Every structure is written in structure tokens, then in C-alpha cells.
């Protein structure tokens, strides 16, 4: 099993603040995805990163894949209450199955 | 926007009973998956399905579990004899290639 550890596990910030969520593993992944999940719903894909060192931006969200393809980060600028949710990273490991990270629960306080 | 549809949204069953969870993947997708999420825990891979056969399965996916694509549109997960610890949200996902999943909204299975 290829483990993905996310940190922090819980994050509560004020609206307008910036934050970074980390996703780390000792394993190499051929690609990595970030999802956001709301209570009672399935995860919704935000982005896929494939190349080591790749940076992708999605409005106020910036995603980076580590050079060695073992880690990734999600940076949110000027967080808004609508960003509240569970953020999951997931990496494609051996056999093309996805391994989900432990999740980061973000609460943005108005 | 195309979506993955799962039914029922909530199923309550008695321990030892068989349940079938149903999924309608996006029509032109080729890869199909089942994941589960026990309340408060991480999303766990169960099985992947491609070209009408299981391509990968996790250690969770034991002999009590089976998957089928009976009619080219539905993708089902059967649990033969449910246990209390099978209570979880079960998510179906599909993708056109090996990544880029679209998840369904899940079926909450409660075993009593």
C-alpha cells in the first residue's frame, strides 16, 4: 500500500487568509490528483498533475507536484467560506489504482 | 455536465443479508471503480474494472464482494453477506483514461 499523508489534518482560518495543504509520500506516483469533498457527497476532481515540478493554477488555488513526484501542495490565496470542505490528494500508484490521502478538513470562517 | 449516478443514496440492511449497489458510469468512460469511505476515515480503493474484468482489487475486496457490468451501462457492487463493518459510504467512479475520475455522490450503506 502506498501511503499519502496530508497535513494539516484540520485547518480553521479566517476569510481572506492564505493557506497551504501538503500531501507527502515515500513512494513515487505517476500522477497525482486533488479532490474536494463536501459532507455526504463524492469527491470532486480539482486538478491532475503529471510532471515532476508541475504547477497548475485554478483561480485562487495553486497546485504543485514535487520534483521527485512524491509530494504535492495545494495553496489557496484569500480563502473564502465557499472553500470550506475536505481536501483529498490521491496518487496513481502501481497497478493504476488510486491511493487517497488522509484528508485535510478546511473551515473558512466569514 | 455528464455525471456518475448511484442508487440508492441510502441503504439499510440486516447483517448477513446481500446488498447490491448500483452505478451508472459516464457513457463513454472505459474504467470503472468502487471506493468506500468509513465515517471519519479515508477513502479506500476497492476494485477497478476495465474491459469487462477486474483489473485491480485491494485486500478489502474479499470473496464477499463482487462486481458486474451486466448490461453495458450499469456497474454493480454486490456484498454477499454484509457485516457491521461494511457500513460505509460506497463511491463509484469512472474515467475515460487511467486517471481523471468522476465520482458519484455515493451510497450510504448501514448494516444493522
Amino acid at each position: 500500500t502506498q501511503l499519502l499523508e496530508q497535513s494539516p489534518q484540520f485547518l480553521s482560518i479566517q476569510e481572506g487568509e492564505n493557506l497551504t495543504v501538503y500531501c507527502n509520500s515515500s513512494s513515487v506516483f505517476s500522477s497525482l490528483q486533488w479532490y474536494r469533498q463536501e459532507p455526504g457527497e463524492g469527491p470532486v476532481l480539482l486538478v491532475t498533475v503529471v510532471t515532476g515540478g508541475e504547477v497548475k493554477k485554478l483561480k485562487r488555488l495553486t497546485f504543485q507536484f514535487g520534483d521527485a513526484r512524491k509530494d504535492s501542495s495545494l495553496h489557496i490565496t484569500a480563502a473564502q467560506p465557499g472553500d470550506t470542505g475536505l481536501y483529498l490528494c490521491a496518487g496513481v500508484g502501481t497497478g493504476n489504482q488510486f491511493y487517497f490521502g488522509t484528508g485535510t478538513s478546511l473551515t473558512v470562517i466569514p | 455536465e455528464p455525471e456518475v449516478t448511484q442508487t440508492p443514496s441510502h441503504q439499510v440492511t440486516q447483517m448477513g443479508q446481500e446488498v447490491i449497489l448500483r452505478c451508472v458510469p459516464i457513457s463513454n468512460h472505459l474504467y470503472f471503480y468502487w471506493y468506500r469511505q468509513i465515517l471519519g476515515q479515508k477513502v479506500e480503493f476497492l476494485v477497478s474494472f476495465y474491459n469487462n474484468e477486474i483489473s485491480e482489487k485491494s485486500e478489502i475486496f474479499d470473496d464477499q464482494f463482487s462486481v458486474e457490468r451486466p448490461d453495458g451501462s450499469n456497474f454493480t457492487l454486490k456484498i454477499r453477506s454484509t457485516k457491521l463493518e461494511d457500513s460505509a459510504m460506497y463511491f463509484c467512479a469512472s474515467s475515460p483514461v487511467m486517471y481523471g475520475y468522476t465520482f458519484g455522490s455515493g451510497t450510504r450503506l448501514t448494516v444493522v
Side-chain angles (χ1 to χ4, degrees):
Chain A
T1 301
Q2 295 177 260
L3 295 176
L4 281 163
E5 296 289 336
Q6 286 184 239
S7 60
Q9 188 176 358
F10 297 98
L11 189 56
S12 182
I13 62 170
Q14 293 288 331
E15 181 176 0
E17 293 184 350
N18 301 332
L19 66 114
T20 302
V21 176
Y22 299 94
C23 173
N24 295 295
S25 176
S26 58
S27 303
V28 175
F29 293 93
S30 58
S31 67
L32 192 139
Q33 297 188 329
W34 284 92
Y35 291 82
R36 194 178 90 178
Q37 185 180 23
E38 310 237 355
E41 299 289 327
V44 175
L45 178 65
L46 297 174
V47 78
T48 301
V49 285
V50 179
T51 307
E54 183 177 2
V55 176
K56 280 193 174 178
K57 292 195 173 185
L58 185 68
K59 297 183 182 178
R60 293 177 293 99
L61 278 59
T62 301
F63 304 86
Q64 182 159 12
F65 200 13
D67 291 341
R69 305 206 317 275
K70 293 182 178 181
D71 54 83
S72 181
S73 63
L74 157 61
H75 182 79
I76 301 179
T77 304
Q80 298 176 3
D83 296 327
T84 294
L86 179 68
Y87 288 83
L88 298 163
C89 64
V92 179
T94 56
N96 295 318
Q97 60 180 269
F98 262 67
Y99 295 93
F100 276 85
T102 47
T104 294
S105 179
L106 171 66
T107 303
V108 181
I109 303 165
Chain B
E1 177 145 351
E3 57 182 30
V4 175
T5 305
Q6 288 187 245
T7 55
S9 57
H10 191 186
Q11 171 118 29
V12 181
T13 188
Q14 292 221 319
M15 191 169 56
Q17 294 295 305
E18 174 183 286
V19 294
I20 298 177
L21 310 183
R22 301 180 193 281
C23 170
V24 180
I26 293 173
S27 61
N28 63 345
H29 284 189
L30 301 176
Y31 296 81
F32 313 108
Y33 310 86
W34 283 99
Y35 283 79
R36 80 172 185 190
Q37 186 176 33
I38 295 171
L39 186 63
Q41 298 187 24
K42 63 193 288 186
V43 178
E44 300 174 293
F45 169 77
L46 291 177
V47 65
S48 60
F49 193 85
Y50 171 70
N51 201 25
N52 286 320
E53 61 183 21
I54 291 173
S55 49
E56 295 289 337
K57 59 183 181 179
S58 72
E59 58 272 16
I60 301 169
F61 194 88
D62 61 20
D63 292 344
Q64 294 296 317
F65 292 89
S66 62
V67 289
E68 268 192 333
R69 191 157 156 79
D71 56 11
S73 62
N74 291 286
F75 180 50
T76 62
L77 173 69
K78 182 193 291 187
I79 309 175
R80 287 191 185 82
S81 178
T82 50
K83 303 187 283 283
L84 294 177
E85 53 265 39
D86 293 328
S87 295
M89 283 287 285
Y90 287 81
F91 294 107
C92 172
S94 69
S95 63
V97 291
M98 290 182 191
Y99 47 83
Y101 289 16
T102 301
F103 279 86
S105 55
T107 293
R108 180 175 298 282
L109 176 66
T110 303
V111 182
V112 297

